[in-house]
Amino acid sequence: MKKFDYSLNYEELDLRKHPELYTVGRGEQGVLMVEPYKGEILPHWQFKTPEIATESSEKIYELFLEYKKKGDFVGMDMARKFLQMGYTRARRYTNHKGGRKYSKEDGSILPYQNDKVKAEAAAIFKAQWEIAKTDPDYVQMKKEHREKYESDEA
């Protein structure tokens, strides 16, 4: 599996036109870099309350399905990454008020809390993320993308 290529000029690169340059990478790598998807998905990404998280995750999943209809694997994967990031960021805010895990002073882990509102928002994103990442078409397209563009022979 290839690592995400951080050396590319993502601000000027349109990966819809050049899907061969896209690397899935691990987790959320590149989620705030890859265009035009970042510009299309980021405005809908919010997790402050369960109601906002529901609306946001549903809209991002709609985009996932639109990309799927167009056979746009990179778009599907970016939508999946935003759903995953909704979960991970909401979890961070569940555990640490203000979202900061480490102390600025000494780098120690700050005290944990349990914000039930953020925990519910995280669960909403996690459920949508699970649906997206296990979608049979997504799984197949991911396999094909990796074989075509991310193998050692590519």
Side-chain angles (χ1 to χ4, degrees):
M1 178 172 65
K2 269 182 155 179
K3 292 184 178 190
F4 187 83
D5 187 352
Y6 286 98
S7 70
L8 296 174
N9 184 356
Y10 290 101
E11 287 183 21
E12 295 184 16
L13 187 60
D14 181 338
L15 284 172
R16 181 170 287 130
K17 294 178 183 171
H18 296 284
E20 73 278 4
L21 297 176
Y22 180 74
T23 305
V24 174
R26 297 178 66 124
E28 303 160 21
Q29 288 182 319
V31 72
L32 295 175
M33 299 170 74
V34 175
E35 292 290 4
Y37 308 102
K38 172 189 156 190
E40 295 169 357
I41 304 169
L42 182 59
H44 306 289
W45 182 72
Q46 299 178 340
F47 56 87
K48 190 173 186 173
T49 66
E51 295 77 23
I52 290 170
T54 298
E55 184 177 330
S56 175
S57 64
E58 286 175 356
K59 176 59 181 173
I60 293 169
Y61 186 68
E62 280 177 31
L63 290 170
F64 174 90
L65 294 175
E66 287 175 28
Y67 296 132
K68 178 178 168 174
K69 276 186 202 169
K70 295 174 183 171
D72 184 347
F73 168 73
V74 179
M76 291 174 73
D77 197 50
M78 289 299 295
R80 187 263 316 155
K81 287 181 180 191
F82 270 95
L83 292 169
Q84 182 175 355
M85 189 169 69
Y87 166 66
T88 59
R89 295 309 184 280
R91 284 300 315 163
R92 184 180 300 159
Y93 279 84
T94 297
N95 295 332
H96 301 283
K97 187 168 180 66
R100 180 173 298 281
K101 183 175 181 178
Y102 299 102
S103 166
K104 287 182 183 179
E105 289 80 38
D106 62 6
S108 63
I109 295 179
L110 294 170
Y112 280 87
Q113 64 178 32
N114 186 12
D115 184 326
K116 292 186 185 334
V117 171
K118 293 293 186 291
E120 188 177 341
I124 290 162
F125 267 98
K126 185 174 187 194
Q128 286 287 36
W129 170 39
E130 291 293 332
I131 292 167
K133 77 177 186 176
T134 59
D135 177 283
D137 294 321
Y138 168 79
V139 171
Q140 181 61 35
M141 291 169 78
K142 179 178 172 182
K143 179 178 183 278
E144 290 168 3
H145 183 87
R146 284 189 159 154
E147 287 171 355
K148 187 172 182 180
Y149 301 123
E150 297 184 36
S151 69
D152 292 332
E153 296 84 43

